[in-house]
Amino acid sequence: MRKFIAIILFSFVAAFAGSEAVGKTMAVGVWAQAGNADEHVGLDFELRRSELVTLDIYLHFYFSSGDNSAGGYVGYYWNYYLTGVPENLGRMGFYGGPAGGVGWWDETFFNDLDYGGIALRFGLVGGYQWEFPVLPLQLYLELNPVGEFYFMWWDDDFEDHDDHETDWEIPDFYFRIGLRVWF
């Protein structure tokens, strides 16, 4: 039933959004990611500041029994669209720029050890985008090499164990695929 409602909602939005992404200023979408066990999927909001500059806001969330995470990230991207691509194939191009944000996670292991933390992330994003020729959709693939600063904590009962730790991880790589609808 959820899939049916999602298809109806997507069809309704696509019907009223117009026929192409060119000239539209806002997009919302979904993404899936590899590279981080706590960030599988999320939402995406993109705002065109000009024809060649976009501001992108990523949100991720995952809540299940004993494994929870949430985060928000902002990217500022410069777009380069390929010339010479036939118009009937849509608009294709590359983008890149800085990105940063904050994430939180909390996990339970073996019912006696809670592990969690906050991560501050900064890095560069580079990707490929394809704006469909007829529908106001955009498919994107991106690689996100980042540096992350972690503040972690453990809630355990082991004696002589420090329950807090900070750590750097540079670089870390994420691969993301997403789909946006432009308005």
Side-chain angles (χ1 to χ4, degrees):
M1 183 66 175
R2 285 187 218 166
K3 290 180 183 179
F4 178 71
I5 292 172
I7 290 170
I8 295 297
L9 181 61
F10 177 76
S11 299
F12 180 78
V13 169
F16 286 99
S19 62
E20 296 178 348
V22 177
K24 310 282 190 224
T25 59
M26 292 187 299
V28 293
V30 295
W31 54 266
Q33 178 174 271
N36 186 333
D38 292 321
E39 294 180 7
H40 304 291
V41 296
L43 301 175
D44 179 32
F45 174 75
E46 186 158 287
L47 177 65
R48 280 198 177 128
R49 308 292 294 159
S50 71
E51 183 62 25
L52 299 178
V53 175
T54 55
L55 181 67
D56 205 351
I57 299 170
Y58 297 101
L59 301 173
H60 86 84
F61 46 88
Y62 180 73
F63 298 101
S64 75
S65 177
D67 187 8
N68 305 304
S69 66
Y73 309 98
V74 176
Y76 188 84
Y77 305 143
W78 291 275
N79 299 279
Y80 173 75
Y81 293 102
L82 300 173
T83 57
V85 175
E87 200 172 299
N88 63 343
L89 295 179
R91 190 162 72 158
M92 300 174 198
F94 297 94
Y95 63 92
V102 63
W104 161 86
W105 76 94
D106 183 47
E107 298 180 50
T108 300
F109 297 103
F110 309 115
N111 295 326
D112 61 353
L113 174 63
D114 289 330
Y115 166 67
I118 295 175
L120 300 176
R121 179 186 299 174
F122 59 92
L124 296 173
V125 171
Y128 171 79
Q129 59 192 350
W130 173 41
E131 295 175 359
F132 289 43
V134 178
L135 295 174
L137 297 177
Q138 178 185 46
L139 176 70
Y140 65 94
L141 308 168
E142 70 182 34
L143 183 61
N144 188 353
V146 298
E148 293 182 318
F149 178 75
Y150 300 111
F151 176 73
M152 298 174 280
W153 59 82
W154 289 267
D155 182 14
D156 59 29
D157 296 326
F158 302 125
E159 288 186 30
D160 300 325
H161 183 263
D162 185 8
D163 285 350
H164 297 87
E165 179 182 340
T166 56
D167 192 18
W168 282 99
E169 188 167 343
I170 298 177
D172 206 353
F173 292 95
Y174 302 115
F175 174 75
R176 183 176 293 141
I177 182 170
L179 185 67
R180 297 181 184 114
V181 176
W182 285 90
F183 299 94

